[in-house]
Amino acid sequence: MTLQTCTPMQTVPGTEGRTFTIRPGHIDAVAVELFTEGQCHALARALADATGWPMAVVARQDCGFATEACYEEEDIAPDLCECQLRHVVAVSPSGQYVDITGVYVPDPLENYLIVPMSDRIWRHVTTSPFWRAPALQVARTFVAPVLASVA
């Protein structure tokens, strides 16, 4: 008889003060919600680190109802303000956007911008109070399953 070891569950911060308890490396509904609701940047960074692929930010065309919240001195890239940022993805060599769901396709009705990740945007995302600190250790456990899903 052999003993099977279980991967211990981990609790990871998501958006708006929420936490998610997940099994590292196991893609299920909770992992999908975590990596689309607060830790997409961690997974994109883990994918980029493992593959050498670049990252990109999915951003709204404008801030919508919160345009007064963006001022020129707050731009984190030319014509890109905090309130426009929506999602971070890795970009495969074929140009596909990759996230926890596999190949990510932005909603064409939303008319999103895809902005290449820069050092300045990355610093902003990892230090802004509106984003969570990237849970890279946990995100790295999802690299192999995500890559297998897009292979």
Side-chain angles (χ1 to χ4, degrees), residues 1-7:
M1 179 170 165
T2 58
L3 292 175
Q4 292 184 344
T5 58
C6 291
T7 305

Side-chain angles (χ1 to χ4, degrees), residues 9-141:
M9 302 294 278
Q10 291 193 0
T11 301
V12 183
T15 59
E16 298 177 8
R18 294 177 63 202
T19 58
F20 296 84
T21 301
I22 61 164
R23 183 170 314 283
H26 179 72
I27 298 176
D28 61 11
V30 177
V32 169
E33 189 174 4
L34 169 66
F35 289 108
T36 58
E37 299 291 331
Q39 287 292 336
C40 60
H41 58 307
L43 182 60
R45 172 57 70 188
L47 287 164
D49 289 349
T51 63
W53 297 350
M55 294 185 295
V57 176
V58 179
R60 286 186 170 172
Q61 290 282 342
D62 59 42
C63 289
F65 67 89
T67 53
E68 70 280 353
C70 287
Y71 301 98
E72 189 172 324
E73 63 270 18
E74 293 178 3
D75 283 357
I76 55 176
D79 300 319
L80 184 66
C81 177
E82 164 77 40
C83 63
Q84 293 172 267
L85 305 180
R86 289 293 165 257
H87 194 48
V88 181
V89 295
V91 184
S92 76
S94 66
Q96 293 178 311
Y97 306 121
V98 179
D99 73 357
I100 191 68
T101 64
V103 175
Y104 171 81
V105 179
D107 183 346
L109 297 177
E110 294 292 330
N111 199 20
Y112 284 105
L113 302 168
I114 305 296
V115 180
M117 180 65 74
S118 66
D119 290 341
R120 183 175 179 187
I121 296 171
W122 181 252
R123 274 192 310 276
H124 178 81
V125 166
T126 58
T127 60
S128 168
F130 300 110
W131 289 75
R132 306 297 69 81
L136 288 172
Q137 182 176 354
V138 172
R140 287 183 183 112
T141 69

